[in-house]
Amino acid sequence: VSAPTLGPELATRLRALVRQLDPDADAEAVVAELARRLPAAAVPSLSPDLLSVVVRHHALDRLPLLDEALFSLACSEHRPLEIVLASQAPEPGARERLDALLARHVALAGDAVEGRLVHAPSGRDERGRLANLGAAAARGRYLAFLDDDDVVYPGHHAGLVAALRGGEAAWAIGRARRVDVATAPGGGLHVRAKAPWPPADPFTLPRIARDNHVPVHAFVLDRERLRGLRVAFSETLPRQEDYALLLRIAAVFRPAIVAGPPTCEYRFRDDGSNTTPVAGAPLAARLARAWTWSATAEPIARERDAVQALASMAELAALDAPAATAGARDELRYRLADRLNAAVKRLPGVHALLKATLAKRG
Amino acid sequence: VELAIGVVLYRNTVAQVDRLARSVALARGALRCEIFWLDNSPDDRLRATVGAAGGAYARPGENVGFGAGHNRLMAHAFGERAASAYVCVNPDAVLHPDCLAELVRAAAAPRAGLVEARQFPDEHPKPYDPATGDTPWCSGCVLLVTRALHAAVGGFDERFFLYCEDVDLSWRARAAGFTTRLAPRALAHHVATRRAGEQRMRLAMLRSALLLAWKYGDAAFAERCARELREAGARPPPAPELKQASPAERAAADFAHDLDFAEVRW
């Protein structure tokens, strides 16, 4: 079955999903119909060796934090590098100050480093939109994100891109360090402690995806290889928008895991402004949350994202299957079938085919 | 000269020197600075790179070590050039554009002796007071030495070839009533964690730590260092004849925290 719209990875995952729901189902037919009906993903023109790092920034009172983030990028070993500063700072004069700060660090970085500012002033928290605006402006085949309060070590991006170039994976994940920081007198940061993140091995996809131990700056995406997947953050989620994207990607693409020493820092500040990490929760609750997060992808291609979210749920269910009881597994299967049914209702041909193929579910 | 910047080179890459020179050019801002390079390398292939970056270049023709190299530059800076302060800069560091100004600002405090930059993004875990910057000892990675301190206690003890000379200078500075501080907003990009696990570095550090223990009269710590050297198959150096540290200097010393020489935050 040719599934050019879906891409081979997503097609494979969906076949697995349908077969998980009903081993006798005609998975090939369902996937072929989906491929025919779903809207194609827009593929931007990408610069082949360029790494674009989208830096999200929110307000001018965070300039000291942003300064450190940009300094860490200026000393990154990866070249060529494009720093896309996506800021929503609404204060008067913000554009000029951000331009000046960015220019200073680009000058420090030297050759083969460019900077561009995407300024979308807003008084609301626009974290998802900022990431999307930055990604749309980014020209690199390789794409990474960095929040304005986090930092990377110099070999971080170079190591992840090397892992991508050395294999077939569409994205690569590195290990982060959790850093607890206090606000020092005068507004600076004072590091209280550093620790491995996650706290203990194994550093494997099921573990780190399930427990959300992958901060947004811990991975690099190869957009050439992600053509079947639209890189879009939810613009409606107040938090966990990065986790939602992570789940969608993880559902379809197996990453290269670079499990060496930590190469970036995820800073937890004492002002409570960080996203709270997800603790171990019951399987059903986790899947419900995964659905909510990963299915939320405004504003376009809702059906496509819903299908990807379903694959995400199926993957998480499969990862947890050994630990689940038979009853829980059945409940999950029914839940998945209902979600899939709802997701493709707007695609009449697919819906009919799906109903027929899952008729035996009872 | 308001500020003299000294860099001691040894087999560095052209890219490292270029990057450091670029960062110094941005960080000097309105400060009246001069930069001095002392190249311990066996050849002068870095001469052209340094020449393009600006500043005076000297090559002793042998590797005189880190501390001795800086001592020569400091003598020139505080003597002939009448510098108000001297900043040791590691060649693999990159200065933040505000680094030098922040160091100079911190050095304006009374009894300022040593002011170190905050290594970034992975700083040394030794403690510092977030309000005052007071810290038990200062790293020599990017370190401002005040003229007053140099006049009172001199430079590095040249018996330390590499490592621990900064700890020793810090303890001597505190014993003489000077402050040893970290300037939190003076960032110097430097990643030491990659080297920390290397056996060769560990052994070099142990040899220097052994000398430090002898100098400050901590026999138990000296034996620990010597034992670890022997266990690693390395021969500990013989105990030298040296002038023991004064009681005040001994009071500033801390051998209770392994090679960190201070209680660590993590």
Side-chain angles (χ1 to χ4, degrees), chain A residues 333-349:
Chain A
R333 288 179 59 217
Y334 298 153
R335 199 186 293 259
L336 284 170
D338 291 340
R339 295 288 195 192
L340 184 57
N341 195 37
V344 299
K345 258 185 176 168
R346 290 203 281 179
L347 304 170

Side-chain angles (χ1 to χ4, degrees), chain A residues 124-206:
Chain A
R124 293 186 308 136
D125 187 339
E126 304 263 21
R127 58 184 69 198
R129 181 162 171 259
L130 283 179
N132 290 338
L133 288 172
R139 297 178 301 110
R141 167 179 178 168
Y142 301 105
L143 179 65
F145 297 90
L146 179 65
D147 284 333
D148 59 6
D149 56 349
D150 293 318
V151 296
V152 294
Y153 294 172
H156 175 65
H157 289 127
L160 294 178
V161 171
L164 291 172
R165 286 175 175 157
E168 301 293 324
W171 60 315
I173 303 176
R175 197 190 286 267
R177 239 173 151 189
R178 176 191 169 118
V179 178
D180 292 307
V181 295
T183 304
L189 295 179
H190 182 247
V191 178
R192 285 174 165 165
K194 297 191 179 191
W197 179 255
D201 281 336
F203 192 69
T204 58
L205 180 64

Side-chain angles (χ1 to χ4, degrees), chain A residues 117-276:
Chain A
L117 173 64
V118 177
H119 190 213
S122 173
R124 293 186 308 136
D125 187 339
E126 304 263 21
R127 58 184 69 198
R129 181 162 171 259
L130 283 179
N132 290 338
L133 288 172
R139 297 178 301 110
R141 167 179 178 168
Y142 301 105
L143 179 65
F145 297 90
L146 179 65
D147 284 333
D148 59 6
D149 56 349
D150 293 318
V151 296
V152 294
Y153 294 172
H156 175 65
H157 289 127
L160 294 178
V161 171
L164 291 172
R165 286 175 175 157
E168 301 293 324
W171 60 315
I173 303 176
R175 197 190 286 267
R177 239 173 151 189
R178 176 191 169 118
V179 178
D180 292 307
V181 295
T183 304
L189 295 179
H190 182 247
V191 178
R192 285 174 165 165
K194 297 191 179 191
W197 179 255
D201 281 336
F203 192 69
T204 58
L205 180 64
R207 166 82 186 280
I208 61 180
R210 189 191 62 197
D211 293 340
N212 193 12
H213 280 143
V214 188
V216 71
H217 55 293
F219 57 84
V220 169
L221 305 172
D222 181 340
R223 292 200 285 182
E224 285 289 341
R225 295 179 186 167
L226 282 177
R227 281 174 179 270
L229 184 100
R230 190 166 58 89
V231 179
F233 288 76
S234 165
E235 297 189 6
T236 55
L237 289 175
R239 288 192 173 192
Q240 307 284 11
E241 77 295 338
D242 48 353
Y243 188 38
L245 177 66
L246 176 85
L247 290 173
R248 282 179 52 216
I249 301 173
V252 183
F253 297 96
R254 287 292 169 267
I257 300 284
V258 181
T263 51
C264 60
E265 293 189 353
Y266 185 32
R267 292 169 158 188
F268 285 73
R269 297 190 310 284
D270 60 355
D271 60 4
S273 57
N274 292 89
T275 295
T276 306

Side-chain angles (χ1 to χ4, degrees), chain B residues 43-60:
Chain B
D43 56 55
D44 68 348
R45 65 189 171 83
L46 290 173
R47 182 188 292 272
T49 308
V50 166
Y57 173 88
R59 196 168 73 84

